[in-house]
Amino acid sequence: MVRPSGENQTAIVEFVLQGFSSIWQLNICLFIMFLVFYTLTVSGNILIILLVLFNHHLHTPMYFFLVNLAFLEIWYTTNIVPRMLLLIIAGQKTISVAGCLTQFYFFGSLAATECLLLAVMSYDRYVAICQPLHYPSLMTGPLCIKLAASSWLCCFLLTAITMVLLSRLSFCGPNEIDHFFCDFTPLVHLSCMDTSLTETIAFATSSAVTLVPFFLITASYSCILIAILRIPSGTGRRKAFSTCSSHLTVVTVFYGTLIATYLVPSANSSQLVRKGFSLLYTILTPMFNPIIYGLRNREIHEALKRCLSTKSGFLK
C-alpha cells in the first residue's frame, strides 16, 4: 500500500483506539462480561498449571506442553484485555505508538507460538498412539524442553522481523484505530509510507507459523485416525481417542476462530463484525482451553479431586 507523504504532515506519537461503543450503559455490560471472561481465563489456566506442577503423575510430556499452553494463554489475554477494560470503563483510548507496536509484537508472537505448541502437542499424541512402545524413548524430557523452547524462540524472532519493519514506518495521517487493540492491518493502514514490503514479509511469516503447523497437525491426526480404526475392540478405540480428544477440540476451536476472523469476513463486512470475530481468538478461545481440558480429561479430573479431598481433610 502506497500513501503520499505531504510536506506539511506531522508525525503522530499516539493512536486512539475506538473500542466498541459510545453508549455508557452498553459499555458497563461489556466491561462486566469481559472482566468475568478474563477472570475465568486467568484462574482456569493457573489452576491447570498448579494441578500439573503439584501432581507427580501428571509430569508427562503431554502435560508439560499443556503447562506451556496455559502459561501462554494467561500472557496472551493479559496483553489485550486489561487495556481494553480501561478503554471501555474509563474511556482511556489513547496509546503511544511504541505501546501500540509493543502490544502487537506480543500478540503476534504469542498467537504464532500457540500454533507451534499445538503442532508439537499433536506430534506427542501421534507418538503416544501410533508408536506407544517407543514413546518413552522418543518423547524424552530434553526433547520436550527443546521443542517447547524452540516454539517460543522461533515465533518471537519471526515476529520481531515484522516489528522492526513496522517501527520504521511513519504515521502522519489520521491516528484513529477502529479496533479494541493494535492489530497489524489497522496499523499499516495508518502509515503514510509504502508498506508493501512490510505486508509481504508479514504475510510470509504469518503463513509459515500458521499453515505449516496446521498441515503437521492434519498429518498427525490422519495417522492417529488410521491407527485408532485398526484397533479391534471398541473399548480400545474409545480409550485411544480419549487421550487426544481434548487437544483435538482445542485445535478445532483455535483454528476455527482464525478462519472465522480472517477468511469469513469479506471486504464488505462492517468493522463491528470484524471486531466480533476478533473477540473469538483474543478472549473466548483462551477461556475455553482450560474448560475443555478440565471437562474432557480424566486425569485432570482425578488430580482436582485429590487436591480437593486433601484440602478438606486438612480442614477437618
Side-chain angles (χ1 to χ4, degrees):
M1 178 182 297
V2 181
R3 293 182 180 274
S5 55
E7 294 182 359
N8 296 326
Q9 290 177 318
T10 303
I12 60 177
V13 295
E14 65 180 17
F15 296 114
V16 178
L17 296 171
Q18 292 301 302
F20 295 97
S21 172
S22 58
I23 303 175
W24 173 249
Q25 291 82 356
L26 179 58
N27 280 340
I28 291 292
C29 295
L30 291 175
F31 175 82
I32 295 173
M33 181 175 64
F34 294 149
L35 179 61
V36 171
F37 288 168
Y38 177 65
T39 303
L40 290 174
T41 299
V42 173
S43 58
N45 282 292
I46 289 177
L47 179 60
I48 293 289
I49 293 173
L50 293 178
L51 285 175
V52 174
L53 290 179
F54 292 106
N55 288 271
H56 295 291
H57 69 285
L58 295 181
H59 292 180
T60 63
M62 181 176 71
Y63 292 105
F64 169 75
F65 295 128
L66 179 58
V67 166
N68 275 266
L69 184 63
F71 176 72
L72 182 147
E73 298 290 19
I74 295 172
W75 194 2
Y76 179 76
T77 191
T78 300
N79 179 52
I80 294 175
V81 177
R83 175 171 285 278
M84 184 181 70
L85 293 176
L86 284 175
L87 185 155
I88 293 173
I89 198 67
Q92 188 173 328
K93 296 185 175 183
T94 59
I95 180 172
S96 66
V97 172
C100 195
L101 292 176
T102 301
Q103 185 185 56
F104 162 74
Y105 173 67
F106 284 110
F107 162 72
S109 300
L110 293 169
T113 304
E114 181 162 1
C115 292
L116 289 191
L117 282 177
L118 290 175
V120 169
M121 293 172 76
S122 69
Y123 172 72
D124 171 74
R125 293 299 84 204
Y126 161 76
V127 176
I129 294 175
C130 299
Q131 303 182 47
L133 297 179
H134 299 287
Y135 184 79
S137 60
L138 290 175
M139 297 303 296
T140 61
L143 177 63
C144 293
I145 293 174
K146 290 177 183 178
L147 288 173
S150 60
S151 297
W152 287 89
L153 184 61
C154 175
C155 293
F156 272 77
L157 289 177
L158 281 177
T159 309
I161 299 174
T162 303
M163 176 69 172
V164 170
L165 293 173
L166 277 175
S167 65
R168 298 178 66 180
L169 296 178
S170 295
F171 301 97
C172 46
N175 67 336
E176 293 185 352
I177 299 177
D178 192 8
H179 214 322
F180 59 89
F181 74 101
C182 296
D183 204 353
F184 176 80
T185 301
L187 277 174
V188 295
H189 283 174
L190 294 181
S191 175
C192 52
M193 296 177 61
D194 180 5
T195 62
S196 56
L197 176 63
T198 303
E199 293 182 79
T200 300
I201 293 179
F203 177 79
T205 54
S206 61
S207 297
V209 296
T210 54
L211 295 180
V212 173
F214 178 75
F215 291 139
L216 292 175
I217 292 170
T218 303
S220 296
Y221 273 102
S222 297
C223 295
I224 289 172
L225 179 60
I226 294 172
I228 291 177
L229 292 177
R230 288 177 179 174
I231 298 175
S233 67
T235 303
R237 286 195 295 270
R238 285 191 296 271
K239 184 177 179 180
F241 181 75
S242 67
T243 64
C244 60
S245 60
S246 298
H247 176 258
L248 182 59
T249 305
V250 168
V251 169
T252 303
V253 171
F254 178 74
Y255 274 98
T257 55
L258 285 183
I259 292 172
T261 303
Y262 292 107
L263 297 183
V264 173
S266 64
N268 296 323
S269 298
S270 68
Q271 183 61 21
L272 182 61
V273 172
R274 288 192 285 270
K275 290 179 188 177
F277 279 114
S278 297
L279 287 174
L280 293 176
Y281 63 84
T282 56
I283 296 181
L284 295 182
T285 300
M287 181 184 69
F288 284 145
N289 286 355
I291 295 175
I292 292 170
Y293 275 102
L295 291 178
R296 300 180 63 89
N297 194 294
R298 179 178 56 83
E299 292 178 314
I300 291 291
H301 276 173
E302 293 176 354
L304 183 58
K305 287 179 182 178
R306 279 194 295 270
C307 179
L308 294 176
S309 62
T310 302
K311 183 177 179 180
S312 61
F314 176 78
L315 293 176
K316 290 179 181 179

